Amino acid sequence: MARGGELSIDQKLALLVASYPETIAGIEDGRLIFRDGGAPLLIDDGRVKDHFAKLGAGDVEDSLSQDYPVGACETKPSVNFDPGRIRSDPLMMRLYGASAREVERSLVNVDWFGTVVRMTRRQGADIALGQVRDALKSIPGVEKYVSPSAGTFNWRKVAKAPNMSVHSFGAAIDLNTKYADYWVWSGGKPGHVPAYSNRFPMAIVETFERFGFIWGGRWYHYDTMHFEYRPELVAIAKAAGVSACP
């Protein structure tokens, strides 16, 4: 993995704000300010956390603490390198909805290789998924990997974790389970995962990343069928020059 210049937290936060203009108005006094006039959200709760505490109850700063790498190269993640798996549930709920019913009000149908999946229209996630689909169609032999989808919206917590899955917000898609590798299925335990495995072509990964999605195959706790819409992490990677390729 090749690294460029490390961005400061202020630079990362600026890219976060720019990635969600529909909802986030800016930053003031260490808090995110929202366009709906609702309560500002503290960026840093001041608590020192280990990796698993960040996963379970991360704040906004924690969610930006690991830089996601982009590119057409496969990487073997180091222990507990899970960029994007650390999230702020309060922020995700402000972006997409704080309950299943609220999220469902923003779900729209997106054609996905002849079937229909439901994706949130908030933050442009549905448009981005449509762009991914159109780009994937130009890659020979790709359809067997991406269809049928194993699911999009599902209000639930992450497996073996207390935090919410991005599927809860209608901003994630799982691809064909026939080609999926997943740390839980392989008998892994948190912090101790068997050898990494992936069967999805990297051309698929690069296409998703191009339109603001990150891939669960970049995680130590890997989930290779999983893609979630996190445009801020892709923007940070590009600005910092963090590449999956040597």
Side-chain angles (χ1 to χ4, degrees), residues 73-78 81 181-183 186 193-200 202 205 215-224:
C73 299
E74 189 170 336
T75 55
K76 183 179 179 181
S78 59
F81 182 69
D181 294 284
Y182 182 36
W183 71 278
S186 66
V193 173
Y196 176 85
S197 181
N198 169 52
R199 288 172 284 169
F200 286 100
M202 293 306 298
V205 176
W215 178 43
R218 301 275 191 216
W219 301 337
Y220 174 71
H221 298 87
Y222 58 87
D223 184 358
T224 64

Side-chain angles (χ1 to χ4, degrees), residues 69 92 128 142 181 189 235:
M92 297 299 286
V142 77
D181 294 284
K189 305 294 183 184

Side-chain angles (χ1 to χ4, degrees), residues 137-152:
K137 286 182 176 179
S138 68
I139 303 174
V142 77
E143 187 167 350
K144 69 178 183 179
Y145 294 101
V146 301
S147 181
S149 165
T152 51

Side-chain angles (χ1 to χ4, degrees), residues 165-236:
S165 166
V166 177
H167 286 285
S168 301
F169 307 109
I173 185 170
D174 286 342
L175 304 187
N176 190 345
T177 56
K178 181 178 178 180
Y179 301 96
D181 294 284
Y182 182 36
W183 71 278
V184 175
W185 295 346
S186 66
K189 305 294 183 184
H192 185 73
V193 173
Y196 176 85
S197 181
N198 169 52
R199 288 172 284 169
F200 286 100
M202 293 306 298
I204 294 174
V205 176
E206 187 277 330
T207 302
F208 269 95
E209 290 176 345
R210 197 187 322 155
F211 296 102
F213 288 81
I214 66 169
W215 178 43
R218 301 275 191 216
W219 301 337
Y220 174 71
H221 298 87
Y222 58 87
D223 184 358
T224 64
M225 68 179 170
H226 178 82
F227 292 85
E228 61 186 62
Y229 187 61
R230 301 290 295 285
E232 76 279 17
L233 297 182
V234 174
I236 288 168

